[in-house]
């Protein structure tokens, strides 16, 4: 597991960053990593209050600044409130990481209902657009970055009832490209990170041991990834010093499972 605390990106210090879906998994690792870089972190969560408090306690214990904000990202009103109150808390917003939302269950296309489609659309698609739209006036003040969490499923179609999830991630990837073209004139870079098979509560909830074994067998590095394996790509895309001429890109972090 990489030691993210060893990396120092001075241009991130003091920036205010909102990480959505940050109570567990990749989001939690990102909240901690941004705090270690000296960022002021808004940590969004929905149902996992205890886990969110634990992440916040770890950040505060290390001398970092964190603001907890709760909201259901299936509701646009909650998305709007979370972004606004995070920016108002710090008096600025320099970065937005759209990481909220899980698979919401494995559902074959043949058995999908309108309700299931609507929920995935709202949480995985509409929330990203809403969060970016609300954050835009704040990000325009100083320039900044948006990083969306996509997935390997956006390119390979997913499987095992995860097709709708994969399609929503493909939507996120293309929204990333479109926003990159629109927002760069404001000094805002928009990119995405697409994790592969990562050991997080996501797979604990939605993947059986047999499914995980099958997925790991397709990874040239011979193991599933960790949340910490993803952090470096996000930090790279956050730093103007490291990636100031990078926008509209999707970085694949998957141990060679997919080589586009």
């Amino acid at each position: 597991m990489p030691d993210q605390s060893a990396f120092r990106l001075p241009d991130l210090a003091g920036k205010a960053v909102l990480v959505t879906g940050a109570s567990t998994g990749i989001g939690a690792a990102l909240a901690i990593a941004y705090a270690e870089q000296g960022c002021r972190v808004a940590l969004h969560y929905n149902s996992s209050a205890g886990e969110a408090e634990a992440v916040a306690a770890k950040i505060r214990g290390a001398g970092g600044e964190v603001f907890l904000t709760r909201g259901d990202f299936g509701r646009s009103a909650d998305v709007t409130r979370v972004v606004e109150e995070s920016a108002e808390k710090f008096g600025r917003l320099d970065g937005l990481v759209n990481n909220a939302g899980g698979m919401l269950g494995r559902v074959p296309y043949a058995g999908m209902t309108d309700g299931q489609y609507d929920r995935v659309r709202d949480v995985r698609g509409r929330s990203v657009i809403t969060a970016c739209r609300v954050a835009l006036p704040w990000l325009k003040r100083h320039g900044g970055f948006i990083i969306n969490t996509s997935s390997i499923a956006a390119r390979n179609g997913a499987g095992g009832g995860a097709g709708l999830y994969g399609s929503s991630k493909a939507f996120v990837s293309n929204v990333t490209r479109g926003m990159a073209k629109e927002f760069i004139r404001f000094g805002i870079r928009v990119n995405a990170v697409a994790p592969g098979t990562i050991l997080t509560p996501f797979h604990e909830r939605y993947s059986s041991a047999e499914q995980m074994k099958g997925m790991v067998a397709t990874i040239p590095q011979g193991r599933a990834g960790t949340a910490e394996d993803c952090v470096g790509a996000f930090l790279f895309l956050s730093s103007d010093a490291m990636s100031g001429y990078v926008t509209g890109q999707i970085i694949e972090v998957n141990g060679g499972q997919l080589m586009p």
Side-chain angles (χ1 to χ4, degrees):
M1 180 183 300
D3 179 10
Q4 303 297 341
S5 64
F7 302 125
R8 283 292 175 264
L9 297 169
D11 65 314
L12 294 184
K15 291 190 174 181
V17 179
L18 167 60
V19 183
T20 73
S23 56
T24 62
I26 294 171
L30 289 173
I32 292 168
Y34 280 116
E36 288 175 342
Q37 295 297 326
C39 296
R40 307 162 74 190
V41 178
L43 189 163
H44 159 261
Y45 69 99
N46 183 27
S47 58
S48 302
E51 291 87 342
E53 292 286 356
V55 174
K58 183 171 183 177
I59 291 172
R60 292 182 183 123
E65 183 177 359
V66 62
F67 168 66
L68 284 170
T69 175
R70 186 173 195 168
D72 178 358
F73 268 35
R75 297 165 47 88
S76 291
D78 278 19
V79 178
T80 298
R81 175 183 51 76
V82 164
V83 175
E84 288 286 2
E85 68 184 16
S86 297
E88 289 169 1
K89 169 67 177 180
F90 299 129
R92 62 187 294 154
L93 188 65
D94 303 287
L96 168 65
V97 179
N98 284 305
N99 182 70
M103 190 186 298
L104 305 178
R106 291 185 178 273
V107 182
Y109 282 116
M112 184 187 69
T113 67
D114 285 350
Q116 289 163 334
Y117 171 83
D118 289 345
R119 181 64 176 167
V120 170
R121 176 201 62 195
D122 290 344
V123 174
R124 294 299 331 140
R126 192 199 307 272
S127 71
V128 171
I129 294 175
T130 301
C132 292
R133 175 176 53 79
V134 177
L136 184 59
W138 292 93
L139 294 171
K140 286 167 66 174
R141 296 183 182 185
H142 306 285
F145 65 86
I146 295 171
I147 306 175
N148 300 318
T149 302
S150 183
S151 170
I152 190 174
R155 287 183 180 268
N156 68 14
L164 183 58
Y165 168 81
S167 295
S168 73
K169 288 297 192 177
F171 175 84
V172 168
S173 291
N174 217 41
V175 164
T176 298
R177 299 182 184 101
M179 285 187 174
K181 295 176 181 179
E182 287 189 22
F183 293 177
I184 193 60
R185 68 179 183 271
F186 305 124
I188 301 166
R189 296 182 300 107
V190 186
N191 293 286
V193 175
T197 302
I198 308 297
L199 293 173
T200 67
F202 176 97
H203 282 297
E204 293 174 9
R205 185 177 302 118
Y206 298 119
S207 302
S208 67
E210 191 64 26
Q211 286 172 319
M212 285 297 296
K213 182 179 178 181
M215 287 186 280
V216 170
T218 69
I219 302 173
Q221 272 191 253
R223 66 172 178 86
T226 66
E228 288 73 20
D229 285 322
C230 300
V231 166
F234 283 89
L235 292 181
F236 167 76
L237 292 173
S238 303
S239 168
D240 285 333
M242 297 296 292
S243 61
Y245 197 54
V246 178
T247 194
Q249 305 303 310
I250 291 87
I251 296 183
E252 307 284 341
V253 182
N254 57 47
Q257 189 175 15
L258 176 72
M259 301 182 188

